[in-house]
Amino acid sequence: MEIRHITPEFAVSPQLEPNDMVALAAEGFVAVINNRPDLEVPPGLRSRAMRAAAQAAGMTYVDNPVINGGMTPEMVALQREAAESRGGPVLAWCRTGTRSAVAWAFGQAGRSPTSAIVKDLARAGYNIPELAHQIDMLAADGMRDT
């Protein structure tokens, strides 16, 4: 399990397995966000199995499947709400962690300076400076209000 902390309260990871949930709860995570669509994973890693494992470990589970190239404002808003309303550290995952990190970054548009968002991503290993323009556009369009 590879955990990449973007902020003290939000981290991302590549694909998790059900047996990772106990370790995540022991590390202090209070919730997990599954950004991986069920069609991308075998039955043992699908939402139903991951939800059961997360809940058995005492964590809140949020299903927010993000399809590559198909991130919507609703997905971004759900990611932000799930990350910010749980009262403790939250971890999101997808295949590599990138979609989870990008959904977080888009959710911060207009709430934090774009340069700080891009730096937080880079510190976590997601060096994606080309997102700055998209983050600025989302902020200008009022994404923060979604």
Side-chain angles (χ1 to χ4, degrees):
M1 178 172 47
E2 177 187 342
I3 299 172
R4 295 180 177 197
H5 290 271
I6 295 176
T7 71
E9 296 293 311
F10 187 77
V12 299
S13 174
Q15 179 66 52
L16 297 175
E17 296 187 6
N19 60 3
D20 291 328
M21 296 302 166
V22 171
L24 289 171
E27 288 191 37
F29 288 97
V30 299
V32 292
I33 304 169
N34 182 357
N35 292 135
R36 194 108 194 247
D38 278 350
L39 294 175
E40 292 183 5
V41 295
L45 299 179
R46 291 187 181 151
S47 187
R48 183 182 207 174
M50 300 304 282
R51 176 185 301 278
Q55 291 175 338
M59 293 186 295
T60 300
Y61 175 92
V62 177
D63 193 32
N64 188 22
V66 175
I67 298 168
N68 270 331
M71 194 174 305
T72 67
E74 294 79 19
M75 291 171 185
V76 171
L78 177 58
Q79 190 89 351
R80 184 181 64 235
E81 188 277 328
E84 294 179 354
S85 67
R86 303 301 168 193
V90 175
L91 181 133
W93 81 89
C94 59
R95 187 177 65 79
T96 65
T98 303
R99 279 178 274 179
S100 298
V102 170
W104 170 85
F106 287 171
Q108 299 307 303
R111 305 172 112 219
S112 295
T114 298
S115 61
I117 296 168
V118 172
K119 284 179 187 174
D120 287 342
L121 290 174
R123 266 195 315 276
Y126 298 98
N127 190 17
I128 319 171
E130 61 272 16
L131 282 183
H133 179 68
Q134 290 176 283
I135 294 168
D136 286 340
M137 286 179 24
L138 291 170
D141 287 345
M143 175 61 94
R144 65 186 169 275
D145 297 326
T146 60

